């Protein structure tokens, strides 16, 4: 089981700004992208490399480049879209899939898959699933279930804030993935919202609040 909690001051500072109720839609969107890039820098530190020969203006030299199949970023719609460009800023050649899930308001932990696509060949790619919030863990579990069902093997999950309940549920269901959390919050309330949280990330990213 691998869970990493971010401690970098810049990440924690930007998450604090996200939490403020008076942070504008434009600023919120930018902060989510910036946090995703900073978290991605940490999460992708184990990418495999290989040596190639390059010719500099001075001489030929053996230098490292990323090896293997390209990275694949898979946002959970809709809020996860806000994190995609942060990862693409680090790895512009990454493929992008998507997973759409519906949350039944009457059954807070029940999710139904409504749409999904995955980059091919998924079994040979490092998959990074992104969603700003990990609450009950239901959406995260369903997303990883889908990826594994379609052949995904190397999976990382990135979430800006998380509740202990969601972390426990996800890692119990999928102990083989790597989870990266920007900040672990206190708990879920009776409506399954993260406390202290930051509100509805999707509404705040897209200005639909």
């Amino acid at each position: 089981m691998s869970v990493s909690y971010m401690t970098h001051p810049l990440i924690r500072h930007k998450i604090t700004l996200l939490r403020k109720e008076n942070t504008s839609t434009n600023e919120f969107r930018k902060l989510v992208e910036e946090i995703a890039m900073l978290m991605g820098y940490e999460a992708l530190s184990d990418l495999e490399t290989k040596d190639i020969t390059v010719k500099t203006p001075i001489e030929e030299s053996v230098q490292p480049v990323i090896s293997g199949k390209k990275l694949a970023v898979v946002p959970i719609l809709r809020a996860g879209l806000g994190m995609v460009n942060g990862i693409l800023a680090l790895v512009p050649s990454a493929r992008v899939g998507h997973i759409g899930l519906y949350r039944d308001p009457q059954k807070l932990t029940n999710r139904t898959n409504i749409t999904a696509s995955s980059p091919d060949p998924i079994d040979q790619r490092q998959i990074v699933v992104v969603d700003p919030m990990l609450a009950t863990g239901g959406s995260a579990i369903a997303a990883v279930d889908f990826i594994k069902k379609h052949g995904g093997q190397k999976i990382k999950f990135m979430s800006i804030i998380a509740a202990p309940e969601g972390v426990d549920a996800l890692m119990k269901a999928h102990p083989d993935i790597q989870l990266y959390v920007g900040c672990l919050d206190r708990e879920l309330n009776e409506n399954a919202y993260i406390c202290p949280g930051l509100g509805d990330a999707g509404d705040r990213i897209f200005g639909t609040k």
Side-chain angles (χ1 to χ4, degrees):
M1 183 179 295
S2 175
V3 183
S4 299
Y5 298 102
M6 303 293 100
T7 59
H8 197 290
L10 285 174
I11 294 175
R12 303 305 295 271
H13 170 78
K14 291 176 184 294
I15 291 175
T16 296
L17 298 180
L18 273 188
R19 295 186 190 277
K20 292 184 176 182
E21 65 178 357
N22 60 352
T23 297
S24 69
T25 297
N26 183 50
E27 185 64 17
F28 192 93
R29 191 181 297 132
K30 289 179 179 178
L31 286 165
V32 168
E33 185 174 323
E34 291 168 1
I35 293 166
M37 182 170 63
L38 290 169
M39 290 183 63
Y41 180 82
E42 299 282 346
L44 300 176
S45 63
D46 60 351
L47 285 177
E48 295 181 2
T49 62
K50 65 179 180 181
D51 289 336
I52 65 169
T53 300
V54 298
K55 190 176 188 308
T56 79
I58 310 301
E59 63 183 26
E60 284 194 347
S61 175
V62 176
Q63 300 293 334
V65 294
I66 295 173
S67 65
K69 292 292 182 180
K70 292 182 175 66
L71 185 75
V73 186
V74 180
I76 297 178
L77 302 182
R78 63 182 167 150
L81 289 172
M83 299 177 69
V84 171
N85 283 343
I87 306 300
L88 293 180
L90 296 173
V91 189
S93 61
R95 300 290 181 88
V96 179
H98 73 273
I99 293 177
L101 297 161
Y102 168 73
R103 182 183 185 188
D104 187 335
Q106 303 302 318
K107 300 177 181 179
L108 298 178
T109 59
N110 184 29
R111 266 75 176 175
T112 303
N113 181 23
I114 56 172
T115 179
S117 69
S118 58
D120 292 325
I122 192 171
D123 61 317
Q124 298 177 36
R125 298 185 185 278
Q126 171 66 68
I127 309 296
V128 180
V129 185
V130 293
D131 194 351
M133 306 177 74
L134 176 57
T136 66
S139 294
I141 292 169
V144 177
D145 283 342
F146 173 83
I147 291 168
K148 286 184 174 179
K149 180 180 178 181
H150 288 78
Q153 300 175 22
K154 299 171 62 178
I155 303 170
K156 297 176 185 281
F157 195 103
M158 283 176 44
S159 187
I160 293 176
I161 66 169
E165 297 91 332
V167 172
D168 291 344
L170 177 58
M171 298 314 292
K172 181 178 180 181
H174 295 290
D176 56 326
I177 72 169
Q178 293 176 284
L179 173 61
Y180 297 85
V181 175
C183 186
L184 183 67
D185 277 15
R186 187 178 70 250
E187 62 185 358
L188 294 176
N189 64 16
E190 65 276 9
N191 296 315
Y193 285 104
I194 301 173
C195 298
L198 46 76
D200 187 297
D203 283 343
R204 298 192 69 184
I205 289 169
F206 295 102
T208 54
K209 184 176 180 181

